[in-house]
Amino acid sequence: MIAYTVLIVATGIERLVELVISRRNASFAFAHGGVEFGRSHFGWMVALHTGLLAACLAEVWLLDRPFIPVLGWSMLVLVILSQGLRYWCIVTLRRQWNTRVIVVPGSRRIDAGPYRLMNHPNYLAVVVEGFALPLVHTAWITAIVFTLLNAVLLLGYRLPVEKNALKMLAS
């Protein structure tokens, strides 16, 4: 359980690094006339993602979830792959990457890197990580609850907001 705790703490630190990148990119965007969309759901996203990390630890420690090697190692591979995809998105979008939906009018829509393959690869990374990270140590309740809540947030709020915001970009 110690190694799993270290994994969750490392994931939390990685999230803080993302927030620093996001804040820097948001400042750049606002300095260039950026317009933010969907601010009302952002707090829920932060709470959900913070809750994921806390719930992973709580379920594993409080319910004494075992590490099942075949499940744990395969889920860890998915977690690592999802992190790779997330950073591929960050590198590809450069200053346009953000945890918030901010569009600089006149900017071009990026169609390179993973965006050649799909419209929202960063969300694929989130979905995979959302079930894989808890299942590294058999926290199946957390995996199910996060996946359901994340689906509601993504499909009901985030993707429609982002789809409307992207209409402002030049093609």
Side-chain angles (χ1 to χ4, degrees), residues 90-110:
I90 291 171
V91 168
T92 300
L93 291 180
R94 299 180 184 182
R95 290 186 181 253
Q96 289 188 30
W97 183 86
N98 209 300
T99 57
R100 295 156 52 186
V101 181
I102 303 170
V103 174
V104 177
S107 295
R108 294 187 51 85
R109 185 170 183 160
I110 304 295

Side-chain angles (χ1 to χ4, degrees), residues 55-154:
C56 284
L57 291 178
E59 184 173 345
V60 167
W61 282 94
L62 297 175
L63 300 179
D64 198 26
R65 298 291 191 213
F67 177 80
I68 301 172
V70 69
L71 177 64
W73 290 117
S74 60
M75 290 299 113
L76 183 60
V77 167
L78 288 178
V79 168
I80 292 167
L81 289 173
S82 68
Q83 290 301 315
L85 178 56
R86 175 177 286 120
Y87 276 92
W88 191 15
C89 294
I90 291 171
V91 168
T92 300
L93 291 180
R94 299 180 184 182
R95 290 186 181 253
Q96 289 188 30
W97 183 86
N98 209 300
T99 57
R100 295 156 52 186
V101 181
I102 303 170
V103 174
V104 177
S107 295
R108 294 187 51 85
R109 185 170 183 160
I110 304 295
D111 58 358
Y115 294 90
R116 283 179 294 151
L117 307 172
M118 64 185 81
N119 287 332
H120 302 286
N122 196 67
Y123 298 140
L124 174 62
V126 171
V127 167
V128 170
E129 184 186 60
F131 70 82
L133 188 60
L135 291 177
V136 168
H137 221 288
T138 326
W140 60 270
I141 295 172
T142 300
I144 291 171
V145 170
F146 179 84
T147 298
L148 291 174
L149 293 175
N150 190 46
V152 168
L153 200 54
L154 274 180

Side-chain angles (χ1 to χ4, degrees), residues 11-75:
T11 302
I13 292 169
E14 187 276 328
R15 288 294 182 279
L16 293 175
V17 170
E18 283 183 20
L19 290 175
V20 169
I21 294 169
S22 177
R23 183 168 292 187
R24 183 191 66 207
N25 290 347
S27 294
F28 176 84
F30 289 133
H32 290 84
V35 178
E36 184 169 8
F37 296 85
R39 180 113 177 111
S40 63
H41 74 269
F42 184 69
W44 290 106
M45 287 187 65
V46 171
L48 181 63
H49 287 258
T50 303
L52 170 67
L53 301 178
C56 284
L57 291 178
E59 184 173 345
V60 167
W61 282 94
L62 297 175
L63 300 179
D64 198 26
R65 298 291 191 213
F67 177 80
I68 301 172
V70 69
L71 177 64
W73 290 117
S74 60
M75 290 299 113

